[in-house]
Amino acid sequence: MKNRTLARVFAVAGVAALAMTGCSAEESDDTATGDGAETTTETEAEVASTECEPPQATVGANPDTSPLKFGTLLPETGTLAFLGPPEVAAVQVAVAEINDAGGVLDQPVGLVTGDSGDTTTDTANTTVDRELAEGVDVIVGAASSAVSLKVIDKIASAGVVMFSPANTSDQFVCYPDKGMYFRTAPTDVLQAQALSQLITGDGAQRVAILALNDPYGTGLAANTVENLETAGIASDQITKIIYDPNAQSFNAEVDRVKEFNPDAVAVLGFEETAKIVTRMHEIGIGPSDGMLVYGTDGNMGNALGEGVAPGLLTGMKGTTPLTDVGPEFEARLTAVDPGLVDFNYGGEAFDAVVISALAAEQAKSTAGVDIAANINAVTRDGTKCTSFVQCRDLIRAGEDIDYDGVTGELAFGPAGEPSVGSYGRLEFGPDNKLTTTDFIVVQG
């Protein structure tokens, strides 16, 4: 395993995901009262089952030895635009490193960049159409799980690898993706464990969860509820409120949180979190008012601090998939983009590119299906290696490899995702700026 400098590491046993096979959400008129209740204002996005045998790609009959070409589908605009800069910079750093080492199959790697936008636009489809027309073999992205779901069928059907550095929704575990979809971000089955450990570690006993109505929000909320209950919090001491992220106001939902009288609130959302936290402060239950308030990767970025009044986030804590990538890697990213203030998913984006390149080397082919058929194998059960050059040379010497990258141990499972999740324990200070206080490591 690649060494990590962790201020504190917590290893916890995996908890099974909440499986709702064949169920669709129903509308509910429940409201949060003195007792635990599930509340929603609309039909709730379905929570995915993770019980399956994920599809696997098979090597094609005709290897392709033309130059490997990457495309990016990363947020330059939209609700997750704050995640884009470190991901974009990391892809550029990885491609440059590979090319400096002679490329893949002794040919330079190409890169075509593109914006993913968000679910309110058709930007992702437009970008994918353009990149497929330009002959990309691997598309790195999207960051948003909901955006990825809009284009995954098109990419997989084209025989192109889709490799997200930031998707965390459980829906991808069993998705019929022809074995062409992968991610370096750990699933929310794992993030729910980390978030629940953070909440219960602070002594919370009555928890309200506000979650946006999309695959990311509803899946993470469901898993968090299960993990809080496993940790000993009674079900009637937990309420889950699902909201429409495109609503003009979230006052009604926040007011119901106050009626529930929790000692902790988890907000699982995106940029609309600024409006939610502002309303929480207006009624005296914001983080700066002394309430234990938590977020996750969708909102725990410095961009949130810029969207609310000074000091309003003081004490708000949260988790995001994050490893101690170290100052040297961060310096490599800032050399590409000096304006970087966050590094979330930068390591994951870098590793997605390197893993794909190594899979092409192992397959001796740049065809998407051949790369996909080798991705899981290069991350586990072989000789440990930690860089493209080191791993490539082992492959060319005839050895099986186990790539442990910038994000540490990966050990992809059959669904094409890490079986280990490292999460930063983040906290906003009085200046509305985030600091990483330590790390939580969980294993499924």
Side-chain angles (χ1 to χ4, degrees), residues 70 94-95 97-98 349-360 378 386-389 391 403:
F70 286 93
V95 168
E97 178 179 299
I98 292 166
F350 179 92
D351 283 344
V353 173
V354 173
I355 290 168
S356 300
L358 292 172
V378 301
T386 58
S387 71
F388 172 75
V389 172
C391 294
Y403 172 70

Side-chain angles (χ1 to χ4, degrees), residues 87-431:
E87 295 171 334
V88 171
V91 169
Q92 294 173 351
V93 168
V95 168
E97 178 179 299
I98 292 166
N99 283 337
D100 288 345
V104 170
L105 303 180
D106 296 319
Q107 300 176 96
V109 170
L111 176 62
V112 181
T113 60
D115 182 18
S116 65
D118 60 25
T119 56
T120 67
T121 70
D122 201 40
T123 303
N125 268 303
T126 300
T127 296
V128 168
D129 288 342
R130 173 174 58 83
E131 293 185 348
L132 292 179
E134 294 192 41
V136 301
D137 305 294
V138 178
I139 292 179
V140 179
S144 161
S145 294
V147 171
S148 287
L149 288 166
K150 292 179 67 174
V151 295
I152 186 172
D153 292 336
K154 180 184 295 185
I155 296 172
S157 295
V160 170
V161 171
M162 184 177 187
F163 210 142
S164 174
N167 288 167
T168 58
S169 171
D170 299 345
Q171 283 196 243
F172 297 102
V173 175
C174 297
Y175 195 87
D177 54 34
K178 305 179 189 296
M180 300 302 293
Y181 173 87
F182 302 86
R183 54 179 164 183
T184 37
T187 173
D188 279 330
V189 173
L190 298 179
Q191 178 157 214
Q193 294 181 40
L195 176 62
S196 300
Q197 183 175 355
L198 183 57
I199 293 171
T200 56
D202 286 341
Q205 291 296 316
R206 188 171 175 85
V207 182
I209 299 172
L210 266 171
L212 81 165
N213 193 16
D214 84 343
Y216 165 80
T218 57
L220 182 52
N223 284 311
T224 300
V225 168
E226 178 160 311
N227 279 275
L228 290 172
E229 291 176 349
T230 299
I233 298 181
S235 60
D236 64 356
Q237 299 299 302
I238 304 169
T239 190
K240 182 181 67 174
I241 301 173
I242 306 299
Y243 66 84
D244 176 3
N246 298 313
Q248 294 300 307
S249 169
F250 307 97
N251 290 2
E253 290 85 355
V254 174
D255 290 351
R256 289 200 292 271
V257 170
K258 184 173 183 178
E259 292 172 12
F260 184 67
N261 193 30
D263 53 23
V265 181
V267 183
L268 313 180
F270 295 151
E271 65 179 7
E272 74 281 354
T273 302
K275 291 182 179 180
I276 291 172
V277 174
T278 298
R279 176 58 180 173
M280 290 174 67
H281 178 64
E282 289 173 352
I283 61 176
I285 60 170
S288 61
D289 303 304
M291 175 66 71
L292 294 173
V293 179
Y294 303 88
T296 50
D297 55 310
N299 51 25
M300 290 300 287
N302 283 307
L304 178 60
E306 298 170 0
V308 300
L312 210 63
L313 299 179
T314 304
M316 181 175 175
K317 300 178 182 179
T319 58
T320 190
L322 190 67
T323 51
D324 187 9
V325 296
E328 188 274 335
F329 181 73
E330 292 181 358
R332 293 169 69 189
L333 298 191
T334 54
V336 171
D337 183 353
L340 286 179
V341 294
D342 289 314
F343 298 92
N344 295 5
Y345 296 116
E348 286 80 359
F350 179 92
D351 283 344
V353 173
V354 173
I355 290 168
S356 300
L358 292 172
E361 283 279 346
Q362 181 161 291
K364 295 182 174 59
S365 170
T366 57
V369 291
D370 297 340
I371 294 170
N374 283 273
I375 283 178
N376 291 344
V378 301
T379 70
R380 61 183 308 127
D381 301 332
T383 302
K384 294 285 188 180
C385 52
T386 58
S387 71
F388 172 75
V389 172
Q390 182 187 18
C391 294
R392 181 202 60 190
D393 290 348
L394 288 170
I395 290 171
R396 292 184 177 181
E399 293 196 40
D400 291 331
I401 66 164
D402 181 348
Y403 172 70
D404 286 349
V406 171
T407 54
E409 184 178 4
L410 294 158
F412 276 15
E417 61 191 21
S419 58
V420 178
S422 175
Y423 297 88
R425 181 193 295 258
L426 311 178
E427 183 169 350
F428 282 101
D431 57 356

Side-chain angles (χ1 to χ4, degrees), residues 48-66:
S49 169
T50 57
E51 298 297 324
C52 64
E53 292 185 10
Q56 305 294 309
T58 55
V59 174
N62 300 306
D64 184 352
T65 57
S66 61

